[in-house]
Amino acid sequence: QKEVEQDPGPLSVPEGAIVSLNCTYSNSAFQYFMWYRQYSRKGPELLMYTYSSGNKEDGRFTAQVDKSSKYISLFIRDSQPSDSATYLCAIDAGGTSYGKLTFGQGTILTVHP
Amino acid sequence: DSGVTQTPKHLITATGQRVTLRCSPRSGDLSVYWYQQSLDQGLQFLIQYYNGEERAKGNILERFSAQQFPDLHSELNLSSLELGDSALYFCASSHGTGSYEQYFGPGTRLTVT
């Protein structure tokens, strides 16, 4: 079993839709939860991070963590064609492993006009 | 532009050969991370260096090695190359000893024929 599972999609939605991206993880020691966005032919870039259960909002993006279920989500409201990219969840155990990120497989998202 | 540079952009080589990938971190960043991204394995952490010292190791093969030089640039050496080593290799950097906030370079696409 992989430490982080993410549905690879692909996911295709119309402009303006609400998008939900999800990951599950197996190790309860994980402490930090991130979402990275990767455009085609580019390196990943950090989109959002959180280290506690609950919601964190940044503009059209909301990251949600449920540590009891080992489940993390990213919601995108009013999705735009420019949001078309691969979204990768990433998890960090912290402590001596701080910075050693474990990534999900990535979900390919296409937002069409 | 993340400020992390990687050379070369593309590399095509034959099985059994050895190659060196180069990375320059963002100005001021002391940590360098190497990742491998392939279709079947996703984005996987290989190794981290902090200020010239190896700090963390992931699923890095014995045929692979890395180092970080006094000017903080890093090199990833891949030897006895196999077809399965074909992948995108990313370098990322961060300021401290370890961070989930990593800045990724554009990657080097390695093709082994």
Side-chain angles (χ1 to χ4, degrees):
Chain A
Q1 182 191 7
K2 286 188 175 181
E3 286 189 294
V4 182
E5 299 275 2
Q6 181 177 6
D7 185 344
L11 196 57
S12 181
V13 301
E15 183 175 355
I18 296 174
V19 175
S20 171
L21 305 167
N22 309 293
C23 288
T24 57
Y25 62 95
S26 57
N27 189 344
S28 57
F30 286 137
Q31 296 186 35
Y32 302 92
F33 308 91
M34 287 72 66
W35 285 94
Y36 277 78
R37 177 175 60 194
Q38 185 176 18
Y39 289 114
S40 181
R41 303 180 200 278
K42 302 279 188 185
E45 58 177 337
L46 180 63
L47 195 58
M48 294 190 71
Y49 70 91
T50 184
Y51 51 82
S52 59
S53 281
N55 294 351
K56 182 175 182 180
E57 195 172 309
D58 184 2
R60 297 184 294 111
F61 299 88
T62 300
Q64 188 176 80
V65 174
D66 182 347
K67 285 189 174 182
S68 62
S69 303
K70 301 190 185 71
Y71 196 84
I72 63 174
S73 300
L74 178 70
F75 298 96
I76 307 174
R77 290 184 299 281
D78 187 25
S79 56
Q80 301 295 308
S82 58
D83 295 328
S84 298
T86 298
Y87 289 81
L88 299 141
C89 61
I91 301 181
D92 189 328
T96 56
S97 297
Y98 197 33
K100 187 177 169 182
L101 302 184
T102 301
F103 282 88
Q105 196 72 4
T107 300
I108 300 170
L109 171 68
T110 302
V111 181
H112 51 87
Chain B
D1 184 0
S2 67
V4 177
T5 60
Q6 288 187 250
T7 56
K9 282 188 179 179
H10 303 279
L11 203 46
I12 301 174
T13 189
T15 54
Q17 295 299 304
R18 172 190 169 94
V19 297
T20 297
L21 313 184
R22 183 188 168 104
C23 166
S24 292
R26 288 189 323 157
S27 177
D29 283 356
L30 300 176
S31 277
V32 169
Y33 311 79
W34 286 97
Y35 291 86
Q36 180 193 58
Q37 187 173 40
S38 61
L39 279 175
D40 54 342
Q41 296 293 325
L43 189 61
Q44 288 202 308
F45 170 81
L46 295 177
I47 197 164
Q48 179 206 353
Y49 277 80
Y50 172 74
N51 204 20
E53 299 287 327
E54 182 184 305
R55 176 158 174 82
K57 233 173 182 176
N59 298 325
I60 186 166
L61 299 171
E62 284 191 14
R63 300 184 285 109
F64 295 2
S65 65
Q67 54 185 325
Q68 186 179 27
F69 295 87
D71 67 352
L72 301 177
H73 91 271
S74 178
E75 293 180 356
L76 179 67
N77 301 295
L78 315 176
S79 61
S80 303
L81 285 168
E82 302 174 1
L83 295 177
D85 297 328
S86 296
L88 265 169
Y89 291 85
F90 286 105
C91 164
S93 73
S94 71
H95 184 67
T97 55
S99 174
Y100 54 76
E101 188 171 3
Q102 297 177 17
Y103 295 85
F104 282 76
T108 293
R109 182 173 293 280
L110 173 65
T111 302
V112 182
T113 62

